Amino acid sequence: MDKTRKGEPGDQARLGALRLLAAIEDGATMDEAVALTEELSPSARARARRLALEVMRRTDRADAVLAPFLQRRPRPDVQRLLRLATVEMLALHEAPHGAVNAAVTICRGMGGKGQAASGMVNAVLRKVSAAQEAWDKLPAQMMPAWLRRPVVHAWGRDVTRAIETAHEAGAALDLTPKGPDVPGEVLPTGSHRLPLGTQVSALPGYDTGDWWVQDAAAALAVRVLDPQPGERIADLCAAPGGKTLQLAAAGAEVTALDISESRLARVAENLQRCGLSAHLVAGDALAWRPDAPLDAVLLDAPCSATGTIRRHPELPLIRDGSAVPALAELQAKLIDHALSLLKPGGRLVFATCSLLPDEGEDQLTAALARHPGLLVEPATAPGVDPAWLTPQGALRLRPDLWPERGGMDGFFIARLRKRLAES
Ligand SMILES: C[S@@+](CC[C@H](N)C(=O)[O-])C[C@H]1O[C@@H](n2cnc3c(N)ncnc32)[C@H](O)[C@@H]1O
């Protein structure tokens, strides 16, 4: 069956992908953009999302391969179409005739000017289909300057290139197990990994709550906290709840807070699906105090999320780094407040899914300066490579780690202990 005719599934997914890319160019997040494809069948919607993600991971490469064949910059909708077909052919290795025919059909359907461009689209994409060698020589897409600069400063150019290669490769599907018989390769830190593109809904054990989706790096924050049965623990920025589930599964008495009521509803759903419980509070963590001091606090603070670019390649396109100073200020306030909630000897795990030292290493240094009695304990857990620890003892996780296993999200995780008595 020809899947490229208008109305056929392949075409629906491509048209959906083009709509997603346009919405993201206008500043939408992927989650906001997917709402625009609700009328598509679940499989077309999933493919549209996948195609849009693959294009965003390689836009610069696609433009570099297309450039020699273009006499002038095409209008934006035609440019998106050319990028999509280029990525389909050269990155996803789809049959050139299918990708080119689909692009020409879609172009003709764009009306007057699109129709006029269809001949050019056809000619350019036929040349692009023979440009595999040029494509293969191109480096992975660079991070934007506002993000690349501090990353190069922190870890150097080679690590930065390796992070960019990991961004292009995308992310596998990681599960945190609760019950037995959880699918996937067992990673050294205990997460289970399934290949990129695995359909979550098709996996056994979802309805019975035997596991939840959580990147292997994200799962380490709670493993570093090492919650014990019966401990009173607050998860101050809890939604959508992966870490709350881990704390509750360990038998801790958990209070899960989030400032967003709608996001907190997802924590409730996840707890229910997994047969776990926690006390849920919607509100500002800075204004919340428990009845009695706590054994431990998990602070998975709001941040730039630059550690999650593998799964959110739209972030470099829709962010410019201008929000980082305010986020860093909020993180510092949240650390101070979290410490005030602990009993003497209590522990705090501070985590951010960020690649920026401003939201990690520098936060820890500043917190130690503000709180002379505070101790840093090695942020370790079973399966953690000691090479991932910073000189201060925090865990610095980056997308280029575990390259042979498929990488991990970028995370900073520090384990702090409040002194038993002020000295
Ligand atoms: C990084 S996400 C947390 C992810 C979560 N810990 C998990 O593992 O699923 C940060 C969360 O902090 C929440 N947040 C932001 N500012 C907050 C505040 N002042 N008080 C409480 N929650 C806040 C956001 O709504 C967001 O859900």
Side-chain angles (χ1 to χ4, degrees):
M1 183 175 67
D2 173 14
K3 300 228 168 173
T4 63
R5 262 176 289 146
K6 196 161 161 54
E8 294 291 340
D11 234 9
Q12 291 303 315
R14 289 182 177 105
L15 287 165
L18 293 168
R19 259 155 61 204
L20 292 177
L21 291 167
I24 287 162
E25 272 177 31
D26 285 343
T29 63
M30 181 56 100
D31 287 346
E32 288 161 355
V34 286
L36 302 170
T37 59
E38 255 164 17
E39 84 289 357
L40 297 183
S41 68
S43 65
R45 201 181 325 145
R47 183 162 153 73
R49 189 172 184 281
R50 174 97 201 277
L51 286 172
L53 290 171
E54 299 291 13
V55 172
M56 283 187 282
R57 291 183 180 119
R58 300 171 177 89
T59 300
D60 289 357
R61 273 180 126 177
D63 286 353
V65 162
L66 283 160
F69 308 127
L70 292 171
Q71 277 161 7
R72 69 183 75 85
R73 194 186 166 89
R75 55 185 231 176
D77 52 355
V78 173
Q79 190 174 38
R80 286 190 286 273
L81 184 61
L82 289 169
R83 287 171 177 163
L84 171 63
T86 301
V87 168
E88 281 190 75
M89 291 189 287
L90 303 184
L92 308 180
H93 304 295
E94 289 179 9
H97 68 272
V100 176
N101 289 348
V104 171
T105 307
I106 290 172
C107 199
R108 285 195 187 124
M110 284 174 179
K113 285 191 179 157
Q115 187 120 27
S118 63
M120 178 275 285
V121 165
N122 188 20
V124 167
L125 289 178
R126 279 176 199 284
K127 289 179 197 155
V128 164
S129 71
Q132 188 71 54
E133 208 178 315
W135 174 272
D136 291 343
K137 283 189 191 142
L138 287 165
Q141 180 161 293
M142 283 196 212
M143 289 178 268
W146 65 266
L147 175 57
R148 197 168 206 272
R149 211 174 298 120
V151 171
V152 170
H153 187 256
W155 301 296
R157 283 185 197 284
D158 289 350
V159 167
T160 304
R161 297 303 307 157
I163 291 173
E164 287 165 343
T165 301
H167 285 166
E168 180 175 305
L173 176 71
D174 291 347
L175 308 179
T176 298
K178 187 184 128 230
D181 304 326
V182 173
E185 175 205 348
V186 182
L187 298 172
T189 52
S191 294
H192 289 224
R193 179 157 287 185
L194 290 132
L196 179 100
T198 304
Q199 288 278 343
V200 175
S201 52
L203 293 174
Y206 178 82
D207 293 332
T208 41
D210 292 344
W211 46 262
W212 51 91
V213 175
Q214 186 175 38
D215 185 80
L220 281 173
V222 170
R223 298 204 176 111
V224 164
L225 183 69
D226 192 21
Q228 299 299 310
E231 279 192 317
R232 295 176 58 250
I233 302 181
D235 183 357
L236 290 187
C237 297
K243 299 178 188 73
T244 304
L245 296 175
Q246 285 178 287
L247 293 167
E253 207 184 288
V254 187
T255 301
L257 269 104
D258 203 279
I259 202 161
S260 158
E261 223 161 300
S262 59
R263 283 172 63 83
L264 197 66
R266 292 184 56 202
V267 184
E269 283 162 26
N270 283 324
L271 283 163
Q272 193 182 22
R273 178 176 67 81
C274 296
L276 294 166
S277 62
H279 177 52
L280 301 187
V281 179
D284 185 346
L286 292 171
W288 178 79
R289 295 204 78 81
D291 298 337
L294 299 166
D295 295 303
V297 171
L298 175 68
L299 174 56
D300 186 24
C303 70
S304 63
T306 42
T308 68
I309 290 174
R310 295 180 317 146
R311 51 189 94 248
H312 294 291
E314 77 275 20
L315 285 181
L317 304 174
I318 60 175
R319 304 265 162 87
D320 60 6
S322 58
V324 172
L327 284 166
E329 202 176 312
L330 175 60
Q331 289 155 16
K333 282 189 188 150
L334 285 164
I335 290 174
D336 293 351
H337 185 67
L339 288 169
S340 79
L341 308 181
L342 290 174
K343 67 183 192 189
R347 57 204 193 283
L348 165 67
V349 163
F350 166 69
T352 51
C353 55
S354 171
L355 293 178
L356 294 167
D358 284 5
E359 300 183 294
E361 290 82 349
D362 299 351
Q363 279 297 344
L364 177 58
T365 305
L368 293 172
R370 291 196 303 276
H371 301 274
L374 197 57
L375 303 171
V376 184
E377 295 184 337
T380 192
V384 164
D385 185 335
W388 302 343
L389 291 177
T390 69
Q392 281 175 311
L395 199 49
R396 165 47 74 188
L397 303 172
R398 301 188 315 245
D400 60 303
L401 300 178
W402 271 350
E404 69 294 347
R405 292 196 166 93
M408 61 174 80
D409 278 354
F411 249 91
F412 178 83
I413 302 170
R415 176 176 155 125
L416 301 163
R417 192 175 288 274
K418 192 166 168 172
R419 283 235 169 127
L420 273 172
E422 292 301 324
S423 51

